[in-house]
Amino acid sequence: MGSQVQLLVTPAKALVDDKVDITVERLAPRQPVTLHARLVEGTARFQSYAHYRADDAGRVIVAKQASLGGLYTGVEQMGLFWSMQPSPGQKPGLRLRKKDVSTPFLVDFSVHEGHVDMMREENLPWLATTTVERWYLGDGVKRIPVREGRVRGTLFLPPGDGLFAGVIDMYGSAGGLAEYRAALLASRGFAALALAVFAYDDLTSDLFSIDLDYFEEATEWLLSHRNVQNHGVGIVATSKGGEIALSMAAHMDKVAAVVTIGSYSAVTGAPLPYKDTVFPCAPFLLEKVVETKEGYLDIRNGVDTTKEPGIKACVQVENAQCPIMFVAGDDDLNVKAVFYANQAIGRMKAHGKTNYTLLQYPGAGHLIEPPYTPLCGLLYHTVYQMCMLTGGEPKSHAAAQEDSWHNILDFFRKHVDRRPQSRL
């Protein structure tokens, strides 16, 4: 039977936010099978599996038939991607992130006889296998390392020689440079600058030594690029990056739109200098950090912006002239993102402002990434060198990622891109 069964995944090469069709053919009618997916990124190994039963014609069509068990149940076309978990025997807190966007994720699929727990079994015989490529970097997208003045990062440009809407992409307190989301944004038509915040190249290694002038310099550099529309940038930023993005919107006139994901709406940890001003901070309250019996950190109550000095640290979002979208998960165990989004919106409302949108997702955690990224509910933080709870339930988190990503793209197309609109 092994030579007869066919496993088809189409398209076999696609961007990571594209759906694929997974079909198994030439099974026996009503035959029980297990579908298994695996990928390796660096030294980290991830996998998923789901149980299906063939229809009367001996087929499994994942987009139409329900998984009966495994890491998810129900009809979930992309479940084998978003339900991935670290393979057993690895250190806790692994997060799937593409380090080298010039190469794809290679996802190996296999079909196995019966309903099997693939997290406990290795090297089982298979009925059919295939491999697919999942790319952040689309065909023709240019990758350009940036070392201009103080600015450090990587610029991604869509194919062609046009004027593209510029977007700055930032992450948070882990430091370094993450390129994958910017690469995907460029693959969807934006000139995207993956901007390092700290702990990269010759930037400061201390998260609490950054200044807002650096981000203004990055904005001006991006807007001066010959392939970038010069009226204003969009910014998408996660966690610590979000509070920086809000500060940029509040104090810079060349910001056209901001998306914050799982972010505080106050300056946290250390004061933030800008020109001749120093914005005060809400300090981290170590006594509010909880350590679980497993030794993991719950830091969601580590900042208090309901009393001084936290109140003064709240970003003056009411001064922002651009639209702001807050993306927040109800189950964020790292930052009380829904609370902080509503606190910022409350300031805006009090000043008669309506330039805000809140995307609030039940069951979603802290790290809301592009679609079909596996949930990272426990994160090993490379700076603090401990595991932190980030929250989220896999199926709900996956739904939040898919919905928010398409909203983010539409938001930037509407508010940043001044070309005639066309959906990529």
Side-chain angles (χ1 to χ4, degrees):
M1 181 179 288
S3 62
Q4 298 175 354
V5 174
Q6 284 192 337
L7 172 58
L8 305 172
V9 183
T10 54
K13 177 184 177 183
L15 293 175
V16 295
D17 59 350
D18 282 329
K19 290 185 177 182
V20 298
D21 288 308
I22 304 171
T23 305
V24 187
E25 298 179 345
R26 300 183 184 176
L27 296 166
R30 313 301 298 169
Q31 181 178 348
V33 291
T34 298
L35 293 183
H36 185 219
R38 296 179 303 165
L39 71 79
V40 176
E41 172 66 11
T43 60
R45 295 171 287 113
F46 289 79
Q47 62 177 319
S48 63
Y49 72 98
H51 297 155
Y52 288 88
R53 187 177 297 278
D55 63 17
D56 291 336
R59 294 175 306 180
V60 172
I61 303 173
V62 170
K64 296 181 178 180
Q65 292 166 236
S67 166
L68 305 175
L71 296 187
Y72 64 92
T73 58
V75 179
E76 294 289 343
Q77 182 174 352
M78 298 299 288
L80 286 166
F81 293 91
W82 60 251
S83 71
M84 280 193 173
Q85 297 180 1
S87 299
Q90 302 177 92
K91 66 181 182 181
L94 286 179
R95 177 184 184 184
L96 181 59
R97 302 183 96 189
K98 196 78 185 75
K99 295 179 176 64
D100 179 5
V101 297
S102 69
T103 63
F105 283 135
L106 295 175
V107 185
D108 297 319
F109 288 90
S110 54
V111 186
H112 302 266
E113 174 70 47
H115 289 166
V116 186
D117 181 351
M118 300 301 295
M119 305 300 279
R120 298 177 181 271
E121 302 286 348
E122 292 186 14
N123 302 316
L124 286 177
W126 45 262
L127 303 175
T129 64
T130 192
T131 300
V132 301
E133 297 181 7
R134 303 289 288 173
W135 289 86
Y136 287 95
L137 194 68
D139 290 341
V141 173
K142 304 181 191 73
R143 178 185 177 276
I144 305 165
V146 175
R147 216 170 184 273
E148 300 284 344
R150 288 203 299 159
V151 180
R152 302 291 180 266
T154 304
L155 177 65
F156 293 91
L157 291 176
D161 198 37
L163 280 174
F164 305 105
V167 175
I168 293 175
D169 177 37
M170 295 186 289
Y171 278 88
S173 59
L177 181 64
E179 295 184 348
Y180 55 93
R181 187 166 62 192
L184 190 59
L185 283 165
S187 302
R188 294 304 181 196
F190 298 95
L193 174 63
L195 182 63
V197 175
F198 78 108
Y200 176 76
D201 197 1
D202 59 351
L203 295 177
T204 177
S205 59
D206 181 6
L207 172 62
F208 302 122
S209 296
I210 61 177
D211 59 79
L212 200 58
D213 303 88
Y214 168 78
F215 302 94
E216 185 167 58
E217 183 178 344
T219 299
E220 292 170 349
W221 179 83
L222 181 59
L223 291 175
S224 72
H225 194 281
R226 69 180 186 88
N227 291 117
V228 178
Q229 298 170 28
N230 64 7
H231 61 89
V233 299
I235 307 171
V236 57
T238 294
S239 199
K240 178 71 178 180
E243 67 189 64
I244 296 169
L246 290 177
S247 298
M248 293 169 71
H251 302 290
M252 302 175 193
D253 60 7
K254 285 295 188 176
V255 178
V258 164
V259 177
T260 72
I261 303 173
S263 300
Y264 295 107
S265 56
V267 176
T268 64
L272 182 64
Y274 178 55
K275 300 187 185 302
D276 297 327
T277 304
V278 178
F279 299 115
C281 72
F284 284 116
L285 307 173
L286 295 180
E287 68 274 14
K288 297 290 187 179
V289 175
V290 176
E291 184 172 349
T292 70
K293 62 180 185 298
E294 297 87 1
Y296 307 148
L297 297 184
D298 179 345
I299 68 168
R300 70 187 119 162
N301 294 313
V303 170
D304 187 350
T305 58
T306 64
K307 58 186 179 183
E308 298 298 357
I311 293 175
K312 286 190 176 66
C314 290
V315 177
Q316 297 167 5
V317 287
E318 64 274 12
N319 294 334
Q321 300 304 306
C322 69
I324 299 173
M325 176 182 285
F326 300 89
V327 178
D330 277 345
D331 194 41
D332 190 332
L333 301 184
N334 190 267
V335 172
K336 294 190 295 186
V338 172
F339 170 82
Y340 289 108
N342 280 316
Q343 190 175 41
I345 289 170
R347 288 183 71 112
M348 298 170 83
K349 285 181 175 178
H351 288 79
K353 294 298 190 73
T354 59
N355 52 322
Y356 55 83
T357 303
L358 172 59
L359 300 183
Q360 179 178 343
Y361 293 105
H366 181 59
L367 298 170
I368 298 176
E369 293 276 42
Y372 319 124
T373 303
L375 169 67
C376 175
L378 178 71
L379 173 67
Y380 180 78
H381 200 289
T382 53
V383 173
Y384 300 117
Q385 297 187 331
M386 293 191 73
C387 283
M388 296 181 173
L389 300 175
T390 59
E393 182 278 319
K395 185 176 289 193
S396 299
H397 192 85
Q401 291 187 148
E402 188 171 355
D403 184 78
S404 63
W405 179 247
H406 294 298
N407 273 286
I408 290 166
L409 294 179
D410 288 343
F411 186 71
F412 286 147
R413 288 178 183 129
K414 178 178 180 181
H415 297 293
V416 187
D417 196 348
R418 296 203 173 163
R419 298 173 298 172
Q421 293 299 297
S422 64
R423 182 176 296 277
L424 292 176

